[in-house]
């Protein structure tokens, strides 16, 4: 399978985003013109899933209208065009995170990417993959390290791997201010650590973790690193080579793409040494009735008919974000995040989790309204056209750490205006009076 090298990075405008440009951007997102309960939609749930620009929806529709065929199988014109579009999308997404094209594996989402690595390590522990795969094997006496702020997708696969192999699962604790307690890390990441898996940015706290420090600790004991970038790739400039992580995962639907598509980045030498997770057609070189030989990465991890239209649409999403400029997106959302926290802190009876305004954080804020359940807060806001997420946000242990069972989360994106944040804050100020919680 030919390897397509990464093209030159796009160089968008460096001008700061402002409300006027954000209003122009919103024209690309027809759903943002929707009314809910007779009021203009204020969509503050992009941390759960983002909205799609027209170019993404058109890319998926164009594939079905003009190129629908199985990729990497046929020799006819449609099959060649579909394969070219599919691999062009891989190139676009790989370029977006600074990876080589052969280092990007399509998955259904970030959860599948993490499970892929966990099951590959389990297969290596079972002796699959030969001598090259032994570096991934874990067993009794080894440990796997995660942090206390992980969402379930980056916790449960490691719980299962530990249970299957006899390895120990360890945790880096979180301080009251939402930062990792790195002073404790040297006692947690030790000579027996085989892998350190952690989030780049917390989906609950908004904390941006010190990737370089954690990678250095892992490297010092020979451990691999896996970065959960679900809340960073859509919102911050991410360069996997600069971060120096071994694996990185993210989901397409959180970065303007469709559902059902995500990606796993892995250093090429690791992917090519790792035993596959799913097996079947399209990932092999030779098959006899007794055994099979596998293709190099990324194809060795892409068994069966793939998510072709979704991959093509995700490529369009990556191009849209690259053309907008991720430094500009980051700066805009950082300002919105600070505005959220400052505004919520000013409302009596509100407790905001995570870093304070002015400290590094992504553009989201999770908070508890004293005396009012988060589900009631969500319903109150929805009645006013404001969409937020309520519950434990797939992070029960983290909520338990802060003595809560649920919070309300407002999360922004490049299409969020300051007026929307202010409308949300004004509505939140009315929650406790409405429910008589004063």
């Amino acid at each position: 399978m030919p390897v397509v090298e990464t093209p030159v990075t796009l160089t968008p405008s460096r001008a700061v985003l402002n409300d006027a440009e954000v209003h122009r951007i919103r024209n690309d997102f027809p759903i943002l013109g929707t009314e809910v309960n007779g009021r203009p939609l204020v969509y503050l749930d992009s941390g759960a899933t983002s909205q799609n620009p027209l170019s993404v929806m058109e890319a998926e529709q164009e594939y079905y209208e003009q190129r629908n065929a199985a990729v990497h199988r046929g020799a006819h014109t449609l099959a060649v065009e579909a394969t070219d579009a599919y691999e062009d999308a891989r190139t676009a997404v790989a370029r977006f995170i600074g990876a080589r094209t052969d280092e990007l594996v399509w998955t259904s989402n970030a959860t599948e990417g993490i499970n892929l690595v966990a099951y590959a390590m389990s297969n290596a522990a079972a002796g699959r993959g030969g001598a090259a795969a032994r570096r991934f094997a874990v067993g009794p006496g080894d440990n796997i390290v995660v942090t206390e702020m992980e969402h379930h997708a980056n916790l449960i696969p490691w719980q299962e791997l530990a249970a299957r192999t006899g390895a120990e699962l360890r945790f880096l604790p979180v301080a009251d201010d939402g930062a990792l307690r790195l002073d404790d890390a040297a006692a947690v990441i030790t000579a027996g650590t085989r892998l350190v898996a952690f989030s780049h940015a917390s989906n609950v706290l908004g904390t941006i973790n010190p990737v370089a420090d954690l990678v250095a600790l892992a490297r010092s004991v020979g451990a691999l690193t896996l970065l959960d970038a679900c809340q960073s790739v859509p919102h911050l400039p991410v360069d996997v080579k600069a971060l120096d992580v071994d694996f990185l995962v993210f989901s397409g639907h959180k970065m303007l793409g469709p559902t059902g598509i995500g990606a796993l980045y892995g250093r090429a030498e690791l992917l090519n040494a790792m035993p596959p997770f799913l097996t079947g057609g399209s990932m092999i070189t030779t098959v006899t009735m007794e055994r099979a030989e596998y293709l190099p990465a990324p194809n060795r991890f892409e068994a069966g008919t793939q998510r072709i239209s979704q991959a093509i649409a995700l490529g369009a999403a990556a191009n849209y974000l690259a053309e907008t400029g991720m430094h500009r997106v980051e700066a805009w959302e950082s300002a919105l995040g600070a505005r959220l926290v400052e505004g919520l802190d000013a409302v009596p009876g509100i407790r905001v989790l995570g870093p304070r305004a002015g400290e590094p954080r992504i553009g989201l804020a999770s908070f508890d309204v004293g005396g009012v359940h988060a589900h009631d807060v969500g319903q109150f806001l929805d009645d006013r056209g404001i969409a937020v997420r309520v519950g434990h946000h797939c992070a029960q242990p983290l909520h338990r750490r802060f003595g809560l069972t649920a919070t309300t989360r407002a999360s922004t994106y490049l299409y969020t205006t300051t007026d929307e944040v202010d409308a949300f804050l004004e509505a939140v100020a009315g929650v406790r009076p409405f429910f008589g919680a004063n």
Side-chain angles (χ1 to χ4, degrees):
M1 196 65 58
V3 172
V4 180
E5 293 301 331
T6 302
V8 176
T9 302
L10 296 174
T11 53
S13 166
R14 306 290 292 181
V16 176
L17 281 179
N18 54 46
D19 264 318
E21 189 166 2
V22 170
H23 277 286
R24 184 197 59 74
I25 287 172
R26 290 171 65 87
N27 292 330
D28 297 332
F29 296 82
I31 199 171
L32 297 179
T34 301
E35 288 193 349
V36 173
N37 295 322
R39 300 174 186 242
L41 169 67
V42 175
Y43 188 75
L44 295 177
D45 197 20
S46 292
T49 197
S50 61
Q51 300 300 343
N52 307 117
L54 288 167
S55 59
V56 168
M57 293 184 277
E58 289 168 353
E60 191 162 17
Q61 183 175 354
E62 191 269 353
Y63 162 75
Y64 279 119
E65 287 183 347
Q66 300 184 31
R67 308 182 203 288
N68 184 29
V71 299
H72 293 308
R73 296 184 182 189
H76 56 80
T77 298
L78 280 186
V80 171
E81 290 182 356
T83 300
D84 287 348
Y86 178 75
E87 291 301 331
D88 285 348
R90 192 194 306 271
T91 301
V93 175
R95 176 179 60 208
F96 186 68
I97 60 168
R100 285 172 25 182
T101 301
D102 62 335
E103 295 176 318
L104 191 110
V105 178
W106 295 124
T107 61
S108 294
N109 44 43
T111 301
E112 184 182 296
I114 294 169
N115 274 277
L116 189 160
V117 176
Y119 273 92
M121 294 180 73
S122 179
N123 289 343
R128 303 301 299 166
R134 287 177 190 159
R135 63 194 300 182
F136 304 105
V138 296
D142 297 327
N143 67 75
I144 304 156
V145 175
V146 297
T147 82
E148 200 175 15
M149 69 170 66
E150 301 310 317
H151 64 157
H152 299 160
N154 198 29
L155 172 61
I156 298 171
W158 308 119
Q159 291 175 346
E160 290 295 312
L161 176 63
R164 286 195 300 272
T165 61
E168 177 189 2
L169 185 61
R170 294 181 173 180
F171 314 97
L172 281 175
V174 174
D176 290 343
D177 64 358
L180 289 175
R181 288 167 47 182
L182 288 183
D183 290 346
D184 297 336
V188 178
I189 300 172
T190 61
T193 303
R194 305 304 307 277
L195 180 123
V196 180
F198 60 100
S199 57
H200 195 174
S202 168
N203 71 319
V204 174
L205 305 172
T207 306
I208 301 172
N209 283 322
V211 177
D213 292 340
L214 291 167
V215 169
L217 282 167
R219 291 269 183 272
S220 70
V221 297
L224 297 167
T225 54
L226 183 145
L227 190 65
D228 175 357
C230 285
Q231 299 295 339
S232 61
V233 164
H235 305 288
L236 316 172
V238 168
D239 184 320
V240 292
K241 302 303 182 186
L243 293 173
D244 196 27
V245 292
D246 295 308
F247 301 103
L248 178 146
V249 297
F250 56 98
S251 291
H253 71 98
K254 295 180 189 290
M255 55 173 286
L256 311 183
T259 55
I261 186 71
L264 162 70
Y265 156 79
R267 289 198 288 119
E269 65 271 27
L270 294 177
L271 290 179
N272 285 317
M274 202 162 67
F277 163 37
L278 294 173
T279 53
S282 297
M283 47 81 74
I284 50 81
T285 56
T286 306
V287 179
T288 67
M289 289 307 294
E290 291 78 24
R291 62 190 305 276
E293 300 290 335
Y294 304 120
L295 284 164
N299 306 84
R300 69 194 281 121
F301 300 106
E302 295 178 357
T305 302
Q306 288 296 300
R307 317 140 185 98
I308 306 166
S309 66
Q310 295 96 324
I312 291 169
L314 181 54
N319 286 335
Y320 185 95
L321 287 168
E323 288 164 7
T324 303
M326 290 307 296
H327 287 91
R328 306 170 77 209
V329 173
E330 177 188 24
W332 180 248
E333 291 189 52
S334 177
L336 294 178
R339 197 180 187 102
L340 277 173
V341 175
E342 285 176 345
L344 289 169
D345 280 341
V347 180
I350 298 285
R351 174 191 176 194
V352 182
L353 304 185
R356 304 269 50 89
E359 298 177 16
R361 64 156 46 239
I362 58 174
L364 64 80
S366 299
F367 58 98
D368 176 59
V369 179
V372 183
H373 194 278
H375 287 182
D376 290 329
V377 176
Q379 185 61 59
F380 177 90
L381 295 175
D382 184 62
D383 287 345
R384 287 149 185 78
I386 301 170
V388 295
R389 180 165 177 180
V390 297
H392 50 64
H393 319 315
C394 297
Q396 286 186 4
L398 181 59
H399 275 77
R400 205 170 290 122
R401 157 67 179 83
F402 287 97
L404 299 167
T405 57
T407 55
T408 304
R409 185 184 71 186
S411 52
T412 66
Y413 210 176
L414 76 167
Y415 42 63
T416 306
T417 68
T418 54
D419 287 345
E420 288 182 313
V421 171
D422 292 345
F424 159 78
L425 293 171
E426 182 180 350
V428 169
V431 171
R432 296 187 80 227
F434 179 85
F435 287 99
N438 285 334

